[in-house]
Amino acid sequence: MKHLRHLALNELLLDACEVPGLLQAAAKNCCDTLHSLELLNCTKVPVAMPDVTQFQKLHKLTLSPQHLDEEIVVLLAGTQVEQLHIVQDAYTCPCAPVSSDAWRLFREIAPSKRVFLEIQGLTKEPLLLQPHAPVRGIIFRTPYHRLTAELTTWVLEYYGKQLEFFVQEGLPRAHGSRRFHERADASFLRLARSCPGLHTLVIRERISLATLLLLADEARALRIFIVRHNALIKKCEWPRASGWSPEYFRWLRTHARDYRQAFQQVPVLLKQRWKPTPDRAFKHLRLLIS
């Protein structure tokens, strides 16, 4: 396979003793040509795979978290890899995240490199966060996961200043609650307010029209804003915040009671064309994250 540009070895679920030499032929024949490499769940137990650092022209590397360790992270900082996607699915085995010290060194050596955390398939395991990694995007491609207050707190702690993408793809397996305190409205607004670089926000969960308007108004960097039409609730449960004038609060409550008025206001706030996405289109949504 000389001159190969893209290689994926997924779900092999090998024993640890079978890993040595797995990438030897590829490293010998494609070291200078391979552009992207994807290794998902090559083993059934955590096994680091330092051979991924041998590919000189690699631009995009996709790995399961059990194939990373501190040494690999530091070595990757010195390669040409620009995008590191860390992906979990139903076959990903339990493992620990890479230490924050290793990620801080990674950022110091290569400040322009981008890391993305993704979770996909039918897994119900929580997203494994990599503390203080240069994470630019978080992508949910599973019907079970939702944004929680706890996850939001840790995301803002680790990645708030650099997060650019927060994406939920596909339809949820079950309808979310209609109660305000059981929904993620407050968590999405925290992301919008605390992540100055957030330019792509895709929401599949239930939120109110008032939250929709607040997100469009307060997430100043938004360029891609996708929300399910069927997940929007005609409500305004927000109490008046200290910084809101009576006129602003009146505007919010008035437009949150009418779909047509709310949908007319969002493009004005975003300064671009916008409309909510029907479930048929949202189901097949697949953003190119880079």
Side-chain angles (χ1 to χ4, degrees):
M1 297 187 292
K2 291 185 178 180
H3 311 300
L4 195 68
R5 288 180 56 81
H6 307 281
L7 175 63
L9 296 173
N10 296 337
E11 321 300 355
L12 297 182
L13 300 177
L14 303 173
D15 292 322
C17 62
E18 298 176 281
V19 172
L22 180 64
L23 296 177
Q24 183 176 353
K28 179 180 179 181
N29 295 315
C30 315
C31 178
D32 297 326
T33 62
L34 205 65
H35 185 76
S36 70
L37 175 62
E38 182 174 309
L39 301 173
L40 298 183
N41 307 310
C42 287
T43 60
K44 295 179 283 189
V45 295
V47 175
M49 304 191 70
D51 287 352
V52 298
T53 62
Q54 297 184 28
F55 300 92
Q56 302 299 318
K57 300 296 179 63
L58 201 61
H59 170 77
K60 178 180 178 181
L61 175 61
T62 303
L63 284 178
S64 297
Q66 71 262 33
H67 300 322
L68 278 174
D69 65 8
E70 294 183 3
E71 180 184 1
I72 293 174
V73 165
V74 175
L75 288 174
L76 285 174
T79 68
Q80 293 192 28
V81 172
E82 296 179 9
Q83 298 176 35
L84 174 60
H85 293 251
I86 305 175
V87 180
Q88 294 171 244
D89 63 17
Y91 296 98
T92 301
C93 63
C95 61
V98 177
S99 72
S100 57
D101 289 340
W103 284 118
R104 287 192 178 100
L105 184 57
F106 179 92
R107 294 174 62 173
E108 182 179 339
I109 297 173
S112 65
K113 293 187 186 295
R114 302 156 66 83
V115 177
F116 299 89
L117 302 182
E118 305 180 26
I119 189 164
Q120 63 186 20
L122 299 180
T123 181
K124 295 183 180 180
E125 294 297 318
L127 179 69
L128 181 66
L129 298 178
Q130 301 288 339
H132 300 291
V135 171
R136 303 298 180 90
I138 295 175
I139 302 100
F140 288 168
R141 295 189 173 115
T142 167
Y144 300 111
H145 289 73
R146 55 187 295 270
L147 182 62
T148 64
E150 181 182 8
L151 177 61
T152 304
T153 297
W154 287 113
V155 167
L156 295 180
E157 171 72 18
Y158 293 150
Y159 321 126
K161 295 181 181 179
Q162 65 213 20
L163 195 71
E164 299 175 358
F165 302 83
F166 189 90
V167 176
Q168 297 176 321
E169 294 183 355
L171 300 180
R173 181 58 59 93
H175 294 295
S177 174
R178 296 183 65 89
R179 297 180 179 179
F180 180 73
H181 294 292
E182 296 177 1
R183 303 197 313 263
D185 295 57
S187 295
F188 283 114
L189 194 58
R190 283 182 67 195
L191 280 181
R193 288 171 171 169
S194 304
C195 299
L198 186 69
H199 61 68
T200 299
L201 179 60
V202 181
I203 301 174
R204 67 161 178 234
E205 300 183 45
R206 275 181 168 164
I207 60 172
S208 68
L209 289 181
T211 302
L212 176 75
L213 292 167
L214 290 171
L215 288 169
D217 188 33
E218 299 197 25
R220 299 296 183 181
L222 272 187
R223 299 198 301 267
I224 299 177
F225 185 35
I226 302 175
V227 181
R228 290 174 53 221
H229 191 296
N230 289 348
L232 291 168
I233 303 173
K234 192 164 54 175
K235 284 185 178 181
C236 179
E237 303 110 318
W238 290 95
R240 180 184 167 188
S242 58
W244 295 351
S245 67
E247 293 77 14
Y248 183 85
F249 191 47
R250 192 179 307 115
W251 168 86
L252 182 66
R253 291 176 62 87
T254 300
H255 290 86
R257 296 190 184 112
D258 186 278
Y259 286 110
R260 183 179 59 83
Q261 290 188 41
F263 296 163
Q264 288 175 348
Q265 289 296 310
V266 172
V268 175
L269 296 169
L270 294 177
K271 297 181 175 59
Q272 60 179 300
R273 296 178 62 184
W274 184 90
K275 62 180 180 179
T277 303
D279 277 1
R280 179 175 295 181
F282 197 96
K283 180 179 180 181
H284 300 288
L285 177 69
R286 186 80 174 190
L287 292 185
L288 180 61
I289 307 296
S290 62

